[in-house]
Amino acid sequence: MTSGQHTPPRASLATWPTPLEPAPRLAHALGLGADDLWIKRDDLIGLGGGGNKVRKLEWLCGAAVADGATVLVTTGASQSNHARLTAAAGARLGLDVVLVLAGSSGSSSSGNLALDGLFGARVVWAGEGDAGTLATAAEHVAQRLRREGAVPALIPFGGSSPVGARGYVECARELLLQAPELNTVVTALGSGGTMAGLVAGLSPDRVLGVHCGAVPSPATTVSALATPLTDTPCPPPALRIRLDQVGAGYGTLTEPVMSALTLAARTEGLVLDPIYTGRALAGLTAAVESGDITPGQRTVLLHSGGLPGLFGHPPTLARAEEGLTDG
Ligand SMILES: *Cc1c(COP(=O)(O)O)cnc(C)c1O
């Protein structure tokens, strides 16, 4: 930030930096050297069960509070980690929270949804539909809240706007201090803000995004979010994005992801989730197999959280229990 420029407000929601830990047994299993692979533990962020959305919410909630907001409104899937962490951030800051979720009431209250209830969030069910349907429903909710005398702040889908993505420019700064020689950070790519901030803070060639199927055009989405944050050009073709881990769609469990979950758990005692971090490791595995990531390079896998989502995904839990063997 150049001096004289207005510094955007930031809410304090956690303690920084998060740890960077070696993963020598996982590295070996992937065919990398013991010192080649490190895990950035953003799952250990202290607020609300942890995860990458907290970094974005520090900037998004900072802006909301500066604008005099009394209630945060956001959107997501019923098992949205972002919705859960918005609920936690609201609790921490003394703001009401309304979550506009895809689906209908009667969806099971496990995983993230159970935590939404614990944090005291109100839920509006928007039925089945795409991101546009959810955004329209959120706009209607905001209008109703205004009529009731509240001051709503709309937090974007996944917390991904150039303001929210600043959180990952900060994460890039932490990584450059913790691992100055890093070659590639591997991250799951959902709504795009996480990869965008990392790209802006590191450069496009040092970030590998693994598309999870949450947005229709991941490269265009990330490019649009990163461009306002950096002088380095990040047009869509400059971005390193793997499109091969989506499988049958965003919410589904794939075999490479199930293998990745099992491998991380059995080599490092590390729990990944089926939607995001499992895809990130499956994509990293494929990148090593294809020679895009090679031994001797320093690679960081971003653990972006998502553990509650594992407990809201019955097919993955059933597969995990199959791993129990008689003693
Ligand atoms: C949202 C999310 C991501 C993806 O981050 P985006 O900024 O939306 O691309 C990755 N991992 C977890 C656990 C998430 O909840």
Side-chain angles (χ1 to χ4, degrees), residues 52-53 56 81 158 160 188-194 273 276-277 304-306:
N52 63 337
K53 302 310 181 310
K56 307 181 194 185
N81 296 305
S160 285
L189 192 181
S191 60
T194 300
D273 77 285
Y276 294 107
T277 54
S304 44

Side-chain angles (χ1 to χ4, degrees), residues 213-280:
V215 292
S217 320
T220 314
T221 301
V222 172
S223 171
L225 290 164
T227 298
L229 297 173
T230 173
D231 297 332
T232 312
C234 342
L239 301 172
R240 293 169 66 190
I241 297 177
R242 292 198 78 94
L243 302 172
D244 56 353
Q245 300 301 326
V246 177
Y250 171 71
T252 62
L253 174 67
T254 69
E255 282 312 311
V257 166
M258 194 62 220
S259 301
L261 259 61
T262 307
L263 186 66
R266 294 183 182 188
T267 54
E268 299 288 349
L270 194 68
V271 186
L272 305 179
D273 77 285
I275 309 302
Y276 294 107
T277 54
R279 282 194 169 101

Side-chain angles (χ1 to χ4, degrees), residues 10 13-21 38-46 51-52 54-56 58-59 166-182 185 197-198 200-202 206 300 302-303:
R10 178 180 182 180
L13 295 176
T15 306
W16 313 106
T18 56
L20 183 70
E21 295 180 341
W38 293 67
I39 315 283
K40 179 64 169 165
R41 298 296 304 269
D42 275 9
D43 58 316
L44 298 184
I45 294 171
N52 63 337
V54 179
R55 287 191 189 268
K56 307 181 194 185
E58 285 204 329
W59 297 95
R166 273 176 191 283
Y168 272 87
V169 180
E170 289 292 322
C171 180
R173 287 204 187 108
E174 284 177 22
L175 282 170
L176 288 173
L177 293 173
Q178 291 171 318
E181 72 291 14
L182 81 87
V185 182
L198 291 172
L202 292 170
R206 287 213 272 181
V300 171
L302 176 68
H303 194 325

Side-chain angles (χ1 to χ4, degrees), residues 130-200:
D130 57 8
T133 314
L134 279 178
T136 307
E139 196 45 63
H140 288 152
V141 167
Q143 282 165 11
R144 168 171 60 78
L145 291 166
R146 273 186 217 105
R147 282 196 303 274
E148 293 169 5
V151 183
L154 276 175
I155 305 289
F157 178 71
S160 285
S161 63
V163 172
R166 273 176 191 283
Y168 272 87
V169 180
E170 289 292 322
C171 180
R173 287 204 187 108
E174 284 177 22
L175 282 170
L176 288 173
L177 293 173
Q178 291 171 318
E181 72 291 14
L182 81 87
N183 293 92
T184 303
V185 182
V186 181
T187 179
L189 192 181
S191 60
T194 300
M195 181 173 179
L198 291 172
V199 162

